């Protein structure tokens, strides 16, 4: 039931005259009984029984009254830590400024779109409470409270690193939740509280879905609460990367043929000076060798490595076989990096890691058939490419773990919460009588709610579909910008773009929508 329905269910409820009178009489009888100075055992016991009945009846009315009061003044925005905000114009020093302020308690949109959940699970040192959701048929928001069971802080760094906390994996499962018949999807949670309460945090789920989830039963699975550390971990190497390179044959490029190096894809990006940089990503075949390289992770092995001299830069290529604690999960938490062992300086600018298998190598890497790196759901090896690593750098370099963006596990384990999505429809639909042409797309239908929108369109040419900017134009001249967008140009049926707004809008205030600079009146 939405919070609006919850309010309506209690609206106008009050005790009947009979209940009111009987409660009043019980109170008066109790008072009279207490005045009688008969200390007999029967009188004492009777007095206690009457008092118990009276207290229970009064408590029932108090609970009813409190429930009515709570329903009437419920602040659903408090569940979301003031996340939902509305832009208002305020006058400051003689100028009108736009400011975003939290919605008021009992806001009509949240009352309709909100659904109180209060689903809890406890284990592995944490208590998780899914407090509520907000939905509109396109977007789904969920507020999750996470607390330590004993009330202790998550870590000593809590106050200075509030936004660094995350779950390593968050998965939603339910009918059609992934689109195209897929019933699961991975998603992320953003921490939205200020960290003022030790050992307690509120995380926000904010996702766009192709299917309407109203009435659907959803399961949320979470794994490992992490905190960003940026720590560099020594792997205990007694040889340099250059010394390890000597164990393998030099790499030879044999693009499109068996053996050697399979070229993957080339990407280009702009550097800080505005120059275009080209990065070549590739993989090498495994060899029959398996060389241990780390005393910290003695079961890890290198099965091939070398330096590829590219057109624009040299690249260090490494095949890693997992073993023991050295696995894909570890490398997801703490990336493999290249470090100068003399200075401790990280010398690789960027790197890429990839695991192949299940036939992918046949399409992308000729000559690598049968080298699958996936066994069931587990990865057994991966291939690393470190950009801009030369032979001279490799002579004093070693591998390490961590650095910027690495995480430490604070609470290991898995947690599962189940809930039912519910809300009242807040979407308004505009069928465009004259379809609006924007670039190579023709917009034919727009659906807008206070927090999101869906645009349906046809593609007019083979050019790539791009949405550089989408915003709402309000009647007062202000605009509400987009916060997130997604679109799919591959599907054969009607194409659509899905949008989350930066702030909550009043539908009656909308004058039009602006797409890539083109204004469409609504």
């Amino acid at each position: 039931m939405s919070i609006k329905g919850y309010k309506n269910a209690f609206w106008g409820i009050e005790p009947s005259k009979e209940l009111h009178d009987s409660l009043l009489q019980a109170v008066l009888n109790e008072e009279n009984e207490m005045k009688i100075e008969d200390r007999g055992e029967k009188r004492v016991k009777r007095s206690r029984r009457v008092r118990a009945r009276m207290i229970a009846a009064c408590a029932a009315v108090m609970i009813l009254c409190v429930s009515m009061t709570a329903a009437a003044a419920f602040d659903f925005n408090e569940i979301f830590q003031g996340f939902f905000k509305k832009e208002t114009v305020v006058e400051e020093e003689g100028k009108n400024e736009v400011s975003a302020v939290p919605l008021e308690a009992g806001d009509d949109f949240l009352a309709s779109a909100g659904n109180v959940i209060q689903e809890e699970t406890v284990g592995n040192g944490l208590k998780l409470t899914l407090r509520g959701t907000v939905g509109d048929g396109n977007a789904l928001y969920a507020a999750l409270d996470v607390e330590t069971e004993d009330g202790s802080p998550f870590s000593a760094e809590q106050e200075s690193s509030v936004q660094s906390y995350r779950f390593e994996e968050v998965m939603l499962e339910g009918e059609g939740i992934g689109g195209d018949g897929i019933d699961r999807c991975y998603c992320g949670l953003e921490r939205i509280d200020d960290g003022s309460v030790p050992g307690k945090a509120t995380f926000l789920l904010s996702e766009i879905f192709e299917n309407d989830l109203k009435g659907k039963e959803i399961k949320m699975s979470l794994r490992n609460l992490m905190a960003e550390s940026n720590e560099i971990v020594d792997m205990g190497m007694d040889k340099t990367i250059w010394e390890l390179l000597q164990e393998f044959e030099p790499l030879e490029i044999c693009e499109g043929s068996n053996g050697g190096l399979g070229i993957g894809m080339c990407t280009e990006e702009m550097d800080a000076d505005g120059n275009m940089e080209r990065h070549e990503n590739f993989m090498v075949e495994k060899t029959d060798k398996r060389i241990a390289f780390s005393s910290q992770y003695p079961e890890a092995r290198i099965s091939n490595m070398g330096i590829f001299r590219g057109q624009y830069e040299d690249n260090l290529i490494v095949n890693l076989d997992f073993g023991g604690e050295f696995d894909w999960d570890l490398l997801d938490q703490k990336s493999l990096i290249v470090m100068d062992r003399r200075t401790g300086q990280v010398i690789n600018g960027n790197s890429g890691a990839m695991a192949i298998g299940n036939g992918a190598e046949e399409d992308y890497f000729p000559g690598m058939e049968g080298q699958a790196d996936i066994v069931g759901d587990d990865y057994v090896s991966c291939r690393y490419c470190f950009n801009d690593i030369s032979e001279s750098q490799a002579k004093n370099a070693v591998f390490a773990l961590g650095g910027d963006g690495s995480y430490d596990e604070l609470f290991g384990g898995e947690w599962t919460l189940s809930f039912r999505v519910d809300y009242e429809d807040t979407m308004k639909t505009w069928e465009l009588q004259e379809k609006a042409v924007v670039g190579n797309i023709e917009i034919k239908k727009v659906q807008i709610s206070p927090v999101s929108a869906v645009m349906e369109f046809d593609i007019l040419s083979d050019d790539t579909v791009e949405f550089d900017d989408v915003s709402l134009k309000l009647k007062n001249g202000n605009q509400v910008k987009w916060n997130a967008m997604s679109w799919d140009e591959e599907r054969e049926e009607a194409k659509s773009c899905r949008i989350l707004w930066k702030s909550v809008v009043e539908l009656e205030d909308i004058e039009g929508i602006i797409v890539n600079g083109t204004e469409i009146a609504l």
Side-chain angles (χ1 to χ4, degrees):
M1 179 185 294
S2 71
I3 188 61
K4 186 174 182 180
Y6 177 70
K7 286 182 178 180
N8 292 339
F10 282 99
W11 184 258
I13 295 179
E14 59 181 352
S16 65
K17 184 177 184 303
E18 291 77 13
L19 177 57
H20 176 276
D21 290 344
S22 63
L23 288 171
L24 180 59
Q25 187 61 47
V27 173
L28 294 175
N29 289 342
E30 174 68 4
E31 184 178 357
N32 289 334
E33 290 289 341
M34 294 298 291
K35 290 180 180 179
I36 298 176
E37 296 182 356
D38 184 350
R39 291 189 171 88
E41 183 179 352
K42 290 183 180 180
R43 179 69 68 181
V44 173
K45 289 183 178 180
R46 179 172 180 267
S47 176
R48 289 173 180 167
R49 288 199 299 271
V50 171
R51 188 181 298 113
R53 288 196 302 270
M54 182 198 71
I55 291 174
C58 290
V61 174
M62 288 176 65
I63 291 171
L64 179 61
C65 294
V66 169
S67 298
M68 292 192 302
T69 302
F74 195 86
D75 185 2
F76 199 79
N77 201 35
E78 188 273 335
I79 288 180
F80 287 84
Q81 300 284 306
F83 171 81
F84 292 103
K85 297 182 178 181
K86 184 177 180 180
E87 293 184 357
T88 60
V89 178
V90 295
E91 185 175 341
E92 293 184 0
E93 299 179 356
K95 297 181 180 180
N96 289 335
E97 300 288 344
V98 177
S99 177
V101 298
L103 299 183
E104 297 178 355
D107 177 83
D108 285 343
F109 164 68
L110 290 182
S112 297
N115 182 32
V116 178
I117 304 293
Q118 291 299 319
E119 171 75 10
E120 294 183 358
T121 185
V122 178
N124 305 306
L126 293 179
K127 173 185 174 184
L128 278 63
T129 306
L130 188 69
R131 297 186 62 196
T133 62
V134 167
D136 65 355
N138 176 45
L140 179 67
Y141 295 88
L144 177 71
D145 282 351
V146 178
E147 306 169 70
T148 56
E149 288 189 71
D150 59 4
S152 61
F154 294 124
S155 76
E157 305 299 325
Q158 180 180 17
E159 286 73 20
S160 61
S161 57
V162 170
Q163 298 302 322
S164 73
Y165 290 77
R166 70 177 180 94
F167 283 92
E168 186 172 13
E169 181 179 287
V170 181
M171 178 186 287
L172 296 184
E173 297 179 80
E175 181 185 349
I177 202 165
D180 295 330
I182 301 174
D183 293 337
R184 62 171 57 187
C185 72
Y186 291 98
C187 58
L189 297 178
E190 172 192 1
R191 188 172 179 181
I192 59 174
D193 69 299
D194 61 6
S196 58
V197 181
K200 184 175 182 180
T202 298
F203 290 87
L204 175 74
L205 167 77
S206 173
E207 291 289 338
I208 298 174
F209 295 96
E210 294 182 14
N211 299 318
D212 188 350
L213 300 182
K214 183 174 181 178
K216 301 292 180 63
E217 297 292 335
I218 305 298
K219 183 172 77 170
M220 177 188 290
S221 301
L222 307 100
R223 185 166 66 89
N224 299 343
L225 181 63
M226 318 292 292
E228 187 173 358
S229 67
N230 302 323
E231 176 188 9
I232 294 179
V233 179
D234 182 9
M235 298 189 69
M237 291 179 58
D238 58 2
K239 292 183 179 181
T240 65
I241 290 175
W242 174 256
E243 290 171 327
L244 289 171
L245 284 169
Q246 309 314 306
E247 303 283 345
F248 299 95
E249 296 295 326
L251 299 182
E252 295 181 3
I253 297 183
C254 302
E255 182 177 4
S257 63
N258 291 336
L261 186 69
I263 296 295
M265 62 179 180
C266 298
T267 60
E268 293 184 343
E269 62 180 14
M270 198 81 69
D271 65 12
D273 298 324
N275 302 314
M276 191 65 70
E277 291 184 339
R278 185 170 182 265
H279 300 290
E280 297 163 311
N281 302 312
F282 33 71
M283 293 181 173
V284 297
E285 285 188 313
K286 291 182 179 180
T287 67
D288 293 332
K289 294 182 179 180
R290 296 293 184 272
I291 298 177
F293 64 97
S294 167
S295 61
Q296 185 74 17
Y297 300 97
E299 297 179 61
R301 298 289 187 272
I302 294 176
S303 61
N304 200 358
M305 66 187 302
I307 290 181
F308 165 62
R309 295 169 180 82
Q311 181 178 357
Y312 298 96
E313 61 186 13
D314 294 343
N315 302 273
L316 173 65
I317 318 299
V318 184
N319 275 4
L320 292 173
D321 284 8
F322 297 135
E325 295 181 0
F326 189 82
D327 57 15
W328 186 257
D329 286 341
L330 174 66
L331 293 182
D332 183 50
Q333 297 170 12
K334 299 182 183 297
S335 297
L336 190 70
I337 59 177
V338 177
M339 184 177 68
D340 189 310
R341 69 174 180 179
R342 300 169 304 175
T343 64
Q345 180 183 3
V346 178
I347 59 176
N348 62 293
N350 52 68
S351 64
M354 186 181 298
I356 66 171
N358 295 345
E361 67 276 8
E362 298 176 13
D363 297 328
Y364 300 108
F365 306 104
M368 299 183 68
E369 295 85 349
Q371 294 201 50
D373 288 316
I374 303 174
V375 178
D377 294 329
D378 297 323
Y379 293 99
V380 296
S381 66
C382 71
R383 284 80 191 267
Y384 260 89
C385 172
F386 296 96
N387 297 316
D388 201 15
I389 301 290
S390 64
E391 287 186 356
S392 61
Q393 289 172 310
K395 288 181 178 179
N396 294 297
V398 293
F399 291 121
L401 293 173
D404 291 344
S406 62
Y407 284 79
D408 286 334
E409 182 180 293
L410 298 181
F411 291 85
E414 298 185 5
W415 300 267
T416 300
L417 296 155
S418 298
F419 61 98
R420 183 175 182 272
V421 178
D422 190 21
Y423 52 83
E424 295 181 21
D425 189 9
T426 57
M427 278 280 186
K428 183 177 180 180
T429 301
W430 285 266
E431 298 276 1
L432 302 183
Q433 300 302 317
E434 295 184 6
K435 296 181 175 62
V437 177
V438 179
N440 67 324
I441 63 173
E442 185 179 65
I443 300 172
K444 55 186 180 180
K445 181 179 178 180
V446 180
Q447 295 174 281
I448 303 176
S449 86
V451 292
S452 77
V454 182
M455 290 192 308
E456 294 184 10
F457 57 87
D458 290 324
I459 300 176
L460 303 179
S461 69
D462 294 333
D463 295 338
T464 301
V465 173
E466 292 290 348
F467 291 95
D468 299 320
D469 188 41
V470 178
S471 60
L472 290 177
K473 182 180 179 181
L474 305 183
K475 294 176 181 177
N476 63 7
N478 292 331
Q479 293 185 18
V480 176
K481 302 292 185 179
W482 63 275
N483 188 50
M485 283 193 292
S486 70
W487 63 91
D488 188 350
E489 58 182 287
E490 303 296 333
R491 300 179 61 170
E492 295 181 0
E493 58 264 34
K495 311 300 184 294
S496 64
C497 173
R498 297 175 182 272
I499 305 147
L500 296 181
W501 304 122
K502 276 194 171 181
S503 59
V504 178
V505 298
E506 298 284 351
L507 298 185
E508 58 269 22
D509 293 340
I510 297 173
E511 184 174 283
I513 188 169
I514 303 173
V515 183
N516 294 352
T518 299
E519 184 176 333
I520 304 168
L522 297 176

